[in-house]
């Protein structure tokens, strides 16, 4: 896969996620905290979940890029495990429900619009990291992952995982808004 093309795609998705989050700031906290059902997350719970992942992955990615030498390698080859995780998390027309790690589950927390502001800041950080990644070797550099101290993913796989995970939950937020709109009709 071409490094520039991959990073450009991830940048575009991140910009869309950031723009959507900025639009959510116009909604009331009551609407943002409304959960469609007892076993579903509210909009702010979806965003806080992404913030919790961002708190782990953004420093990890930044550290990896900071240690990297400049690279002319323009191709990225996904690893077996990384490719598996990316395919698992990528948004699909019919999303499969996934169990969330307890430490990454925001259910029941008292949340404010500050969650959105944190998410927007994290998206700005991610955009900066995606820009810096244009001169790094996305295949050779590896990052830790949140679910295991022992496993590492290629930087390109980690970037894809983070961006597609964000996109997946932003789609979940859109569905929550659509359900609420239908309920009001």
């Amino acid at each position: 896969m071409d490094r520039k093309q991959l990073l450009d795609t991830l940048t575009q998705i991140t910009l869309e996620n950031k723009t959507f989050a900025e639009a959510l700031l116009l909604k009331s906290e009551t609407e943002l905290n409304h959960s469609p059902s007892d076993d579903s997350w509210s909009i702010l719970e979806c965003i806080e979940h992404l913030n919790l992942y961002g708190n782990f992955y953004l420093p990890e990615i930044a550290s990896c890029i900071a240690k990297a030498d400049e690279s002319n390698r323009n191709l990225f080859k996904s690893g077996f495990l990384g490719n598996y995780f990316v395919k698992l998390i990528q948004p699909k027309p019919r999303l499969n429900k996934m169990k969330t790690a307890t430490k990454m589950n925001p259910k029941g927390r008292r949340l404010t619009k500050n969650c959105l502001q944190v998410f927007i800041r994290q998206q700005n950080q991610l955009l900066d990291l995606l820009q810096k990644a244009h001169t790094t070797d996305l295949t050779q550099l590896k990052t830790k992952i949140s679910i295991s101290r022992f496993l590492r993913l290629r930087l390109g796989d980690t970037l894809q995982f983070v961006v597609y995970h964000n996109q997946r939950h932003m789609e979940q937020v859109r569905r929550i808004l659509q359900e609420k709109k239908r309920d009001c009709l």
Side-chain angles (χ1 to χ4, degrees):
M1 181 179 325
D2 179 68
R3 174 177 61 188
K4 182 182 178 340
Q5 184 180 355
L6 171 64
L7 293 172
D8 287 350
T9 298
L10 298 179
T11 297
Q12 183 59 42
I13 293 167
T14 302
L15 285 168
E16 290 167 8
N17 290 339
K18 179 184 163 205
T19 300
F20 183 46
E22 290 167 340
L24 291 172
L25 284 169
L26 301 173
K27 305 240 178 247
S28 72
E29 278 192 5
T30 302
E31 188 174 359
L32 294 170
N33 273 304
H34 172 76
S35 181
S37 67
D38 290 341
D39 63 339
S40 297
W41 287 344
S42 69
I43 291 169
L44 288 181
E45 287 169 333
C46 290
I47 300 298
E48 181 63 8
H49 170 71
L50 296 176
N51 290 342
L52 293 169
Y53 271 93
N55 289 342
F56 176 84
Y57 281 105
L58 293 175
E60 183 63 25
I61 293 167
S63 173
C64 182
I65 290 173
K67 294 175 191 169
D69 293 327
E70 208 167 297
S71 171
N72 292 331
R73 187 172 183 177
N74 292 319
L75 292 179
F76 166 66
K77 183 170 175 24
S78 189
F80 174 77
L81 193 59
N83 189 49
Y84 171 78
F85 284 136
V86 168
K87 286 194 182 317
L88 186 68
I89 206 73
Q90 274 183 315
K92 301 166 193 69
R94 189 166 165 83
L95 287 179
N96 50 322
K97 273 202 151 197
M98 299 175 82
K99 186 97 168 118
T100 300
T102 304
K103 66 182 180 181
M104 300 297 191
N105 190 341
K107 188 70 178 158
R109 292 186 186 178
R110 184 149 176 76
L111 302 170
T112 67
K113 284 186 179 184
N114 184 55
C115 288
L116 285 166
Q117 292 161 339
V118 169
F119 180 74
I120 291 164
R121 274 194 306 274
Q122 286 187 354
Q123 295 314 285
N124 284 329
Q125 283 179 277
L126 183 54
L127 287 166
D128 183 52
L129 293 169
L130 288 166
Q131 186 60 41
K132 289 176 180 173
H134 278 274
T135 59
T136 61
D137 188 331
L138 301 180
T139 303
Q140 291 300 316
L141 296 170
K142 299 204 175 182
T143 65
K144 296 177 193 167
I145 63 173
S146 62
I147 60 170
S148 170
R149 297 182 334 196
F150 307 107
L151 296 177
R152 292 183 177 270
L153 293 184
R154 293 174 180 180
L155 177 58
D157 288 327
T158 301
L159 289 167
Q160 287 182 92
F161 177 84
V162 170
V163 171
Y164 290 133
H165 182 245
N166 288 345
Q167 184 184 36
R168 176 189 183 91
H169 285 289
M170 295 308 269
E171 290 299 323
Q172 182 181 2
V173 167
R174 284 182 176 87
R175 282 194 311 278
I176 293 168
L177 289 171
Q178 287 172 348
E179 288 173 24
K180 184 149 178 60
K181 194 182 283 187
R182 277 195 301 269
D183 291 347
C184 292
L185 295 178

